[in-house]
């Protein structure tokens, strides 16, 4: 809890990046329902303010793509981990 508040004070993206990586892993394991629940529980409050809609939107769009997609932005996110 102490570290979490410190990270938020310095506007660190660390927790967002970690949660995004876990979300992507769930999708790769074809656990899309779990990924949606995970996003609701952990990710919506963590989205970096500077890119709130675009980063969360891109992450949610991964739910409709396969990890083998050739669509540039989503292919890059699947390689994120």
């Amino acid at each position: 809890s102490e570290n979490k508040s410190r990270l938020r004070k310095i506007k660190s993206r660390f927790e967002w990046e970690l949660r995004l990586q876990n979300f992507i892993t769930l999708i790769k394991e074809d656990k899309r329902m779990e990924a949606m629940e995970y996003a609701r529980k952990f990710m919506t409050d963590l989205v970096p303010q500077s890119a709130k809609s675009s980063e969360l939107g891109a992450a949610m769009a991964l739910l409709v793509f396969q990890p083998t997609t050739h669509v540039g932005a989503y292919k890059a996110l699947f390689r994120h981990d």
Side-chain angles (χ1 to χ4, degrees), residues 16-73:
W16 164 256
E17 295 290 336
L18 178 64
R19 298 295 185 177
L20 179 60
Q21 186 174 17
N22 290 337
F23 176 76
I24 292 169
T25 298
L26 287 169
I27 294 171
K28 285 180 175 180
E29 294 172 352
D30 202 28
K31 297 178 181 177
R32 295 180 191 290
M33 290 301 291
E34 287 180 43
M36 286 180 8
E37 292 170 15
Y38 183 88
R40 281 189 203 116
K41 185 173 182 180
F42 296 111
M43 295 174 65
T44 54
D45 293 336
L46 291 175
V47 180
Q49 293 296 1
S50 62
K52 190 162 185 108
S53 62
S54 64
E55 283 193 63
L56 183 58
M60 295 300 109
L62 290 176
L63 291 165
V64 298
F65 287 95
Q66 294 299 316
T68 56
T69 186
H70 295 291
V71 179

